[in-house]
Amino acid sequence: MKQLHIYLMTFLLFPAAAFSQEASSDSLIVILQEKDPVPEGATRVGAIRIKDGGFKSRCGYDQTLEEAREKARTLKGNLIKITELKPPDNWSTCYRLRADVYHHDGLADIVAAQQAEAAAAIRTMLPDTASYALLCVYRPKTGVGTLVQYNLHVNDSVVCRVKRGGSYMIKLHTMGQTQIWARTESRAEVSADIQPGKVYFLKCGISMGAFVGRPQFYLMNTTQGMSEFSSMYGSVEEEE
Protein backbone atom coordinates (compact mmCIF):
# COMPACT_ATOMS: atom_id res chain seq x y z
CA MET A 1 0.00 0.00 0.00
CA LYS A 2 1.18 3.52 -0.73
CA GLN A 3 -0.06 6.62 1.02
CA LEU A 4 -1.25 9.34 -1.31
CA HIS A 5 -2.02 12.72 0.25
CA ILE A 6 -3.06 15.41 -2.21
CA TYR A 7 -5.40 18.28 -1.38
CA LEU A 8 -6.61 20.51 -4.20
CA MET A 9 -9.58 22.72 -4.83
CA THR A 10 -11.51 20.81 -7.47
CA PHE A 11 -12.07 22.82 -10.65
CA LEU A 12 -13.91 21.39 -13.64
CA LEU A 13 -12.45 23.35 -16.53
CA PHE A 14 -13.85 24.04 -19.95
CA PRO A 15 -12.49 25.92 -23.00
CA ALA A 16 -11.38 29.43 -22.09
CA ALA A 17 -12.48 32.60 -23.80
CA ALA A 18 -12.77 36.23 -22.75
CA PHE A 19 -15.91 36.81 -20.67
CA SER A 20 -18.24 39.30 -22.31
CA GLN A 21 -21.52 40.85 -21.25
CA GLU A 22 -23.25 37.79 -22.69
CA ALA A 23 -21.54 34.53 -21.69
CA SER A 24 -20.80 32.75 -24.97
CA SER A 25 -20.96 29.01 -25.59
CA ASP A 26 -17.16 28.66 -25.33
CA SER A 27 -16.72 30.82 -22.23
CA LEU A 28 -14.62 29.62 -19.33
CA ILE A 29 -16.91 27.90 -16.84
CA VAL A 30 -15.53 26.68 -13.52
CA ILE A 31 -17.45 24.20 -11.39
CA LEU A 32 -16.69 23.90 -7.68
CA GLN A 33 -17.57 20.76 -5.77
CA GLU A 34 -19.58 20.86 -2.54
CA LYS A 35 -16.48 20.93 -0.32
CA ASP A 36 -14.72 23.71 -2.25
CA PRO A 37 -14.86 27.33 -1.07
CA VAL A 38 -16.07 30.09 -3.37
CA PRO A 39 -13.11 32.34 -4.32
CA GLU A 40 -13.02 35.76 -2.72
CA GLY A 41 -14.39 38.44 -5.02
CA ALA A 42 -17.09 36.29 -6.64
CA THR A 43 -20.56 37.82 -7.00
CA ARG A 44 -23.62 35.56 -6.76
CA VAL A 45 -25.91 35.95 -9.78
CA GLY A 46 -28.45 33.20 -9.17
CA ALA A 47 -29.14 29.52 -8.51
CA ILE A 48 -29.86 26.51 -10.73
CA ARG A 49 -31.47 23.13 -10.30
CA ILE A 50 -31.33 20.11 -12.62
CA LYS A 51 -34.01 17.51 -12.00
CA ASP A 52 -34.81 14.06 -13.39
CA GLY A 53 -37.73 15.25 -15.49
CA GLY A 54 -39.23 11.78 -15.81
CA PHE A 55 -38.34 11.06 -19.45
CA LYS A 56 -34.71 12.20 -19.70
CA SER A 57 -32.38 9.76 -21.45
CA ARG A 58 -29.19 11.84 -21.48
CA CYS A 59 -28.78 12.56 -17.79
CA GLY A 60 -25.41 11.05 -16.88
CA TYR A 61 -22.63 12.88 -15.09
CA ASP A 62 -21.22 14.68 -18.15
CA GLN A 63 -24.65 15.60 -19.52
CA THR A 64 -25.74 17.00 -16.14
CA LEU A 65 -22.67 19.23 -15.93
CA GLU A 66 -23.23 20.40 -19.51
CA GLU A 67 -26.79 21.35 -18.63
CA ALA A 68 -25.48 23.20 -15.57
CA ARG A 69 -23.05 25.16 -17.75
CA GLU A 70 -25.81 26.16 -20.15
CA LYS A 71 -27.97 27.38 -17.28
CA ALA A 72 -25.04 29.33 -15.83
CA ARG A 73 -24.43 31.05 -19.16
CA THR A 74 -28.03 32.28 -19.25
CA LEU A 75 -27.39 33.90 -15.87
CA LYS A 76 -24.15 35.48 -17.22
CA GLY A 77 -22.15 33.49 -14.68
CA ASN A 78 -18.75 31.84 -15.02
CA LEU A 79 -18.54 29.97 -11.70
CA ILE A 80 -20.83 27.17 -10.53
CA LYS A 81 -20.77 26.11 -6.88
CA ILE A 82 -22.45 22.72 -6.45
CA THR A 83 -24.51 22.59 -3.26
CA GLU A 84 -26.04 19.15 -3.88
CA LEU A 85 -25.21 16.41 -6.39
CA LYS A 86 -27.20 13.18 -6.27
CA PRO A 87 -25.97 10.23 -8.34
CA PRO A 88 -28.39 7.66 -9.81
CA ASP A 89 -30.10 5.58 -7.13
CA ASN A 90 -33.15 3.41 -6.60
CA TRP A 91 -35.41 6.42 -7.16
CA SER A 92 -33.88 7.82 -10.34
CA THR A 93 -31.49 6.77 -13.10
CA CYS A 94 -30.30 10.37 -13.51
CA TYR A 95 -27.85 12.68 -11.78
CA ARG A 96 -29.60 15.59 -10.03
CA LEU A 97 -27.96 18.85 -9.10
CA ARG A 98 -28.46 22.07 -7.18
CA ALA A 99 -25.93 24.89 -7.42
CA ASP A 100 -25.31 28.58 -6.91
CA VAL A 101 -23.98 30.58 -9.85
CA TYR A 102 -21.38 33.36 -9.50
CA HIS A 103 -19.40 35.73 -11.70
CA HIS A 104 -15.73 36.42 -10.98
CA ASP A 105 -13.72 38.95 -13.01
CA GLY A 106 -10.36 37.33 -12.16
CA LEU A 107 -11.32 33.73 -12.75
CA ALA A 108 -8.69 33.06 -15.44
CA ASP A 109 -5.84 33.87 -13.01
CA ILE A 110 -7.32 31.58 -10.35
CA VAL A 111 -7.63 28.75 -12.86
CA ALA A 112 -4.02 29.19 -14.02
CA ALA A 113 -2.78 28.96 -10.42
CA GLN A 114 -4.83 25.81 -9.79
CA GLN A 115 -3.56 24.18 -12.98
CA ALA A 116 0.04 24.87 -11.89
CA GLU A 117 -0.70 23.35 -8.47
CA ALA A 118 -2.23 20.27 -10.08
CA ALA A 119 0.80 19.84 -12.36
CA ALA A 120 3.13 20.00 -9.35
CA ALA A 121 1.04 17.41 -7.50
CA ILE A 122 1.15 15.07 -10.52
CA ARG A 123 4.95 15.17 -10.41
CA THR A 124 4.81 13.75 -6.86
CA MET A 125 3.06 10.70 -8.30
CA LEU A 126 5.49 10.06 -11.14
CA PRO A 127 8.23 12.01 -12.95
CA ASP A 128 7.50 13.42 -16.39
CA THR A 129 10.45 11.34 -17.64
CA ALA A 130 8.77 8.07 -16.60
CA SER A 131 8.50 5.40 -19.27
CA TYR A 132 5.07 4.37 -18.01
CA ALA A 133 1.73 6.04 -17.27
CA LEU A 134 -0.56 5.77 -14.24
CA LEU A 135 -4.23 4.89 -14.37
CA CYS A 136 -5.99 5.90 -11.15
CA VAL A 137 -9.24 3.99 -10.86
CA TYR A 138 -11.89 4.69 -8.25
CA ARG A 139 -15.53 3.97 -7.55
CA PRO A 140 -17.41 6.13 -5.03
CA LYS A 141 -19.64 4.51 -2.44
CA THR A 142 -22.73 6.34 -3.67
CA GLY A 143 -25.00 5.23 -6.50
CA VAL A 144 -26.88 2.12 -7.55
CA GLY A 145 -25.59 -1.45 -7.71
CA THR A 146 -23.68 -1.35 -4.43
CA LEU A 147 -23.19 -5.14 -4.44
CA VAL A 148 -22.16 -5.34 -8.11
CA GLN A 149 -18.44 -5.79 -8.85
CA TYR A 150 -16.65 -6.19 -12.17
CA ASN A 151 -13.22 -6.83 -13.64
CA LEU A 152 -11.63 -3.83 -15.32
CA HIS A 153 -9.71 -4.59 -18.51
CA VAL A 154 -7.01 -2.55 -20.19
CA ASN A 155 -7.01 -3.94 -23.72
CA ASP A 156 -6.85 -7.71 -23.14
CA SER A 157 -5.60 -7.69 -19.54
CA VAL A 158 -7.59 -7.61 -16.29
CA VAL A 159 -5.99 -4.93 -14.10
CA CYS A 160 -8.27 -4.78 -11.06
CA ARG A 161 -11.59 -5.79 -9.57
CA VAL A 162 -13.78 -2.68 -9.27
CA LYS A 163 -15.70 -2.64 -5.99
CA ARG A 164 -17.88 0.00 -4.36
CA GLY A 165 -15.54 2.36 -2.48
CA GLY A 166 -12.43 0.86 -4.11
CA SER A 167 -9.44 2.76 -5.50
CA TYR A 168 -6.44 1.46 -7.43
CA MET A 169 -3.32 2.95 -8.99
CA ILE A 170 -2.21 0.94 -12.02
CA LYS A 171 1.02 1.28 -14.00
CA LEU A 172 0.49 1.18 -17.75
CA HIS A 173 3.47 0.14 -19.84
CA THR A 174 1.74 -0.01 -23.24
CA MET A 175 1.37 3.40 -24.86
CA GLY A 176 -0.99 4.71 -27.52
CA GLN A 177 -4.70 4.21 -28.12
CA THR A 178 -6.01 2.00 -25.34
CA GLN A 179 -9.39 0.41 -24.66
CA ILE A 180 -10.52 0.38 -21.02
CA TRP A 181 -13.58 -1.80 -20.54
CA ALA A 182 -15.68 -4.05 -18.34
CA ARG A 183 -18.67 -6.32 -18.76
CA THR A 184 -21.57 -7.32 -16.52
CA GLU A 185 -24.85 -7.89 -18.39
CA SER A 186 -23.40 -5.72 -21.18
CA ARG A 187 -20.05 -4.21 -22.08
CA ALA A 188 -19.02 -0.59 -21.49
CA GLU A 189 -15.75 0.98 -22.57
CA VAL A 190 -13.80 4.19 -22.94
CA SER A 191 -10.79 4.90 -25.12
CA ALA A 192 -7.71 6.90 -24.13
CA ASP A 193 -4.47 7.85 -25.86
CA ILE A 194 -2.02 6.76 -23.15
CA GLN A 195 1.29 8.62 -23.03
CA PRO A 196 4.34 8.04 -20.78
CA GLY A 197 4.72 10.29 -17.77
CA LYS A 198 0.98 11.05 -17.65
CA VAL A 199 -1.68 10.30 -15.02
CA TYR A 200 -5.24 9.35 -16.01
CA PHE A 201 -8.23 9.28 -13.65
CA LEU A 202 -11.08 6.85 -14.28
CA LYS A 203 -14.24 7.26 -12.23
CA CYS A 204 -16.32 4.06 -12.21
CA GLY A 205 -19.89 3.28 -11.32
CA ILE A 206 -22.96 1.26 -12.24
CA SER A 207 -25.92 2.37 -14.33
CA MET A 208 -29.33 0.75 -14.21
CA GLY A 209 -29.71 -2.41 -16.28
CA ALA A 210 -32.29 -5.11 -16.85
CA PHE A 211 -30.76 -7.45 -14.26
CA VAL A 212 -27.49 -6.51 -12.52
CA GLY A 213 -26.65 -3.10 -14.00
CA ARG A 214 -24.02 -1.97 -16.49
CA PRO A 215 -20.50 -0.62 -15.87
CA GLN A 216 -20.17 3.14 -16.15
CA PHE A 217 -16.94 5.07 -16.79
CA TYR A 218 -15.85 8.71 -16.79
CA LEU A 219 -12.35 9.88 -17.71
CA MET A 220 -11.95 12.85 -15.37
CA ASN A 221 -9.88 15.98 -15.76
CA THR A 222 -6.74 16.06 -13.62
CA THR A 223 -7.82 18.41 -10.85
CA GLN A 224 -11.20 16.83 -10.20
CA GLY A 225 -9.96 13.27 -10.61
CA MET A 226 -7.02 13.80 -8.28
CA SER A 227 -9.19 15.39 -5.62
CA GLU A 228 -11.83 12.65 -5.68
CA PHE A 229 -9.32 9.81 -5.97
CA SER A 230 -7.05 10.94 -3.14
CA SER A 231 -9.88 11.84 -0.77
CA MET A 232 -11.64 8.47 -0.84
CA TYR A 233 -9.39 6.74 1.67
CA GLY A 234 -6.02 8.49 1.68
CA SER A 235 -4.42 5.21 0.56
CA VAL A 236 -4.71 3.12 -2.58
CA GLU A 237 -3.67 -0.26 -3.87
CA GLU A 238 -0.93 -0.10 -6.47
CA GLU A 239 -0.94 -2.62 -9.28
CA GLU A 240 1.83 -3.27 -11.77
Side-chain angles (χ1 to χ4, degrees), residues 46-175:
I48 58 176
R49 182 183 181 187
I50 298 174
K51 300 184 291 184
D52 184 336
F55 298 99
K56 293 173 70 174
S57 59
R58 292 178 52 81
C59 55
Y61 184 82
D62 291 338
Q63 290 85 4
T64 300
L65 295 185
E66 176 60 32
E67 188 173 347
R69 296 198 298 274
E70 293 301 323
K71 288 178 178 289
R73 290 187 183 103
T74 64
L75 295 172
K76 302 178 183 178
N78 62 356
L79 178 64
I80 298 171
K81 164 66 176 179
I82 294 175
T83 56
E84 183 181 34
L85 180 63
K86 292 183 178 180
D89 52 29
N90 292 331
W91 303 103
S92 173
T93 60
C94 294
Y95 276 84
R96 290 138 293 161
L97 177 145
R98 292 177 185 265
D100 293 323
V101 179
Y102 295 82
H103 176 65
H104 196 298
D105 289 329
L107 195 61
D109 292 336
I110 296 174
V111 168
Q114 288 296 319
Q115 288 176 330
E117 184 179 356
I122 285 292
R123 297 283 71 81
T124 68
M125 299 174 70
L126 83 169
D128 54 10
T129 56
S131 61
Y132 60 91
L134 286 180
L135 178 64
C136 296
V137 179
Y138 62 102
R139 180 181 167 188
K141 292 183 178 180
T142 56
V144 300
T146 56
L147 299 179
V148 180
Q149 304 176 9
Y150 50 83
N151 290 330
L152 184 71
H153 298 73
V154 173
N155 293 328
D156 296 327
S157 300
V158 175
V159 295
C160 66
R161 180 76 172 172
V162 177
K163 306 175 183 179
R164 175 178 177 264
S167 54
Y168 310 86
M169 189 157 58
I170 301 153
K171 290 183 179 179
L172 301 179
H173 297 278
T174 301
M175 302 297 107

